[in-house]
Amino acid sequence: MNSVTSIQPEVSSSTKRQAAARLRRAVRQNPAFSGAGIAERVFARVFSGLVYAQIWEDPDIDMEALAIEPGNRIVAIASGGCNALSYLLADPAVVEAVDLNRTHVAFNRLKLAALASLPDYDSFFRFYGGDGCSKNTDLYRLHIRPQLHPETRAYWEGRRLSGRRRISIFSRGLYRHGLLGLFIGAGHRAARLYGVNPRELLAARNAEEQRAFFDKSLAPLFDKKLIRWVTGRKSSLYGLGIPPQQYDALATAGDGMASILRERLEKLACDFPLSENYFAWQAFGRRYDEAGPLPPYLQRANFEAVRTRASRLTVTNASFGEFLSCKPDASVDRFVLLDAQDWMTDGQLHDMWQEITRTAAPGARVIFRTAAAGSILIGRLTASLLDRWEYREEESRRLHARDRSSIYGGFHLYVFKG
């Protein structure tokens, strides 16, 4: 069994104040006391806690686009860590995960410690895949806790406003917590107000029954005045981790936010077999089932490979550009930006892509997602910078159509020309 000290990265020297300042710089673009500035401040506060217990980007699509080769060096935004861990199955030399959110850093370091210290797959699945089990408290106390760095341990044993320790979410249904988990729960409660139970979709036996349930029960919800009013408020989508800037980008993608969300939910509910789409199980069932679809890192057949290679994954509290600025030229083979660019000003975008281009090894690949359909780089990066990259537009469209998470408007792949 690996020792956790081999996989536990050194804790960033950044203080809580410095980490908070990074997040503010990433999110805030308007005067503090303007309407937009106040919205940005509220989002920054909300986003500082656990947002994604599960990452909502399809790792199978990621890995197909990245074409990871043994020995590749990957830098990725961490989020919930599901995809960064899944990349280990492709045998890269290193995966360096970075995140502005200190809670996500603590979440991923706990996951690494669990991989190294829990006795077997069944205990790991109970901790990260189950629907909440009181035994998870014992698993933490007996196996994981002794291996954690003091800062990470202090975070998880700290108390929430409710008085409960943060670690208790693993005994009370992990995926019901975090900002996204609360958002999905609110969506379920809103549906039940109109007599609809979203869980019933999971009883569908085929694509036709999935479609019938969506058309009869889910689609009409988006015509309700209350739903349209609520989704028309920028703050309503903070639970999806969507800041005000990204809301504005998403709003350009269709006829009102309710219609956009209806379209995305339709893809999630109807376009993929339930036996293959664990995102649908989370959205409609709020859980995983070991007998059902699972993220690659959480599948029994992949457990030993992920655990053996977990020492190759590190987690750092930093912005993407800040992290790259400390790396040598031509030292990174694959870059994973998630949807972070939707938040950025032109200056932030340009500075980050300068670092990406400087650190890109020959043939390097970059992937990212956007709220709207088009690539966010076109018309915003200088031609001299963008011309060094080949946009695989058709391939990106094909991959986007197969992305099971279904919540984004576009998937984008760029390949370094040199």
Side-chain angles (χ1 to χ4, degrees):
M1 183 180 296
N2 292 333
S3 100
V4 150
T5 55
S6 69
I7 67 169
Q8 185 71 28
E10 292 184 7
V11 175
S12 169
S13 61
S14 300
T15 63
K16 292 181 180 180
R17 187 176 301 171
Q18 289 170 323
R22 286 193 189 97
L23 184 56
R24 287 196 300 268
R25 287 195 299 270
V27 173
R28 297 185 188 177
Q29 300 179 8
N30 293 281
F33 295 104
S34 66
I38 291 171
E40 290 166 359
R41 292 172 71 184
V42 171
F43 179 80
R45 183 61 179 268
V46 169
F47 197 76
S48 64
L50 179 63
V51 182
Y52 304 111
Q54 172 196 288
I55 189 171
W56 273 71
E57 283 86 5
D58 191 330
D60 289 341
I61 296 301
D62 281 11
M63 289 192 283
E64 184 175 339
L66 291 169
I68 301 168
E69 298 177 355
N72 276 171
R73 299 150 296 179
I74 303 171
V75 178
I77 295 176
S79 187
C82 314
N83 288 23
L85 282 170
S86 296
Y87 301 155
L88 294 173
L89 295 169
D91 200 23
V94 63
V95 179
E96 296 174 297
V98 301
D99 208 292
L100 285 167
N101 185 325
R102 293 180 68 253
T103 301
H104 284 168
V105 172
F107 186 80
N108 279 281
R109 290 178 177 173
L110 181 74
K111 192 174 285 189
L112 287 172
L115 271 168
S117 61
L118 289 176
D120 52 31
Y121 171 78
D122 290 327
S123 58
F124 184 72
F125 181 81
R126 185 183 306 129
F127 205 79
Y128 281 100
D131 195 26
C133 174
S134 60
K135 292 181 179 179
N136 285 346
T137 301
D138 294 332
L139 288 175
Y140 172 78
R141 179 175 53 84
L142 294 174
H143 299 285
I144 303 173
R145 184 183 189 275
Q147 307 296 334
L148 289 175
H149 187 281
E151 182 177 315
T152 305
R153 185 188 310 145
Y155 174 82
W156 287 108
E157 295 181 9
R159 296 188 183 275
R160 302 161 60 94
L161 291 176
S162 65
R164 289 188 170 116
R165 295 189 185 275
R166 293 188 181 97
I167 195 65
S168 70
I169 64 174
F170 291 88
S171 300
R172 296 184 291 116
L174 171 61
Y175 301 104
R176 295 173 179 269
H177 296 84
L179 205 56
L180 179 60
L182 295 175
F183 178 87
I184 292 173
H188 277 241
R189 289 190 293 275
R192 287 197 293 271
L193 285 175
Y194 294 101
V196 177
N197 183 353
R199 290 178 182 272
E200 293 179 5
L201 175 78
L202 299 178
R205 294 167 295 183
N206 51 48
E208 290 73 20
E209 292 186 1
Q210 290 172 235
R211 166 59 66 182
F213 182 82
F214 177 82
D215 288 344
K216 179 181 178 181
S217 300
L218 295 178
L221 295 175
F222 294 93
D223 294 324
K224 305 296 183 183
K225 289 183 179 179
L226 177 62
I227 302 297
R228 297 188 73 85
W229 182 85
V230 169
T231 57
R233 316 271 77 76
K234 291 183 180 181
S235 58
S236 70
L237 297 191
Y238 286 2
L240 284 174
I242 294 178
Q245 305 95 313
Q246 193 173 27
Y247 183 101
D248 292 337
L250 183 58
T252 67
D255 181 23
M257 190 57 65
S259 67
I260 295 167
L261 295 177
R262 178 194 182 281
E263 176 186 313
R264 306 278 166 97
L265 190 68
E266 180 178 13
K267 180 180 178 183
L268 181 65
C270 302
D271 285 14
F272 308 96
L274 294 175
S275 60
E276 299 175 5
N277 192 2
Y278 64 85
F279 296 100
W281 280 85
Q282 281 291 344
F284 301 109
R286 306 184 69 193
R287 64 185 177 88
Y288 288 134
D289 186 326
E290 190 183 350
L294 294 170
Y297 87 94
L298 199 52
Q299 295 172 18
R300 181 182 292 272
N302 295 333
F303 177 68
E304 289 302 329
V306 173
R307 172 143 78 171
T308 298
R309 296 170 183 170
S311 60
R312 306 180 193 180
L313 174 60
T314 60
V315 190
T316 303
N317 180 211
S319 73
F320 205 88
E322 174 189 11
F323 185 80
L324 292 180
S325 70
C326 300
K327 298 189 72 63
D329 294 354
S331 61
V332 182
D333 300 291
R334 304 291 186 265
F335 303 82
V336 183
L337 299 172
L338 304 185
D339 61 337
Q341 293 174 114
D342 278 354
W343 305 16
M344 295 183 180
T345 64
D346 288 354
Q348 291 169 335
L349 198 65
H350 184 269
D351 290 348
M352 185 183 70
W353 273 88
Q354 278 192 318
E355 290 299 332
I356 290 173
T357 302
R358 181 186 65 80
T359 57
R365 292 179 171 228
V366 181
I367 62 170
F368 59 89
R369 290 168 173 82
T370 50
S375 170
I376 202 166
L377 304 183
I378 298 171
R380 297 185 63 188
L381 291 187
T382 62
S384 60
L385 191 57
L386 195 56
D387 286 348
R388 299 188 67 183
W389 293 87
E390 177 191 356
Y391 180 30
R392 299 283 181 85
E393 188 170 5
E394 290 302 319
E395 185 176 355
S396 296
R397 287 175 181 162
R398 290 194 298 270
L399 289 166
H400 171 69
R402 293 170 41 225
D403 190 318
R404 294 168 297 175
S405 76
S406 306
I407 66 173
Y408 294 103
F411 177 91
H412 310 279
L413 166 64
Y414 282 77
V415 180
F416 190 45
K417 295 190 290 186

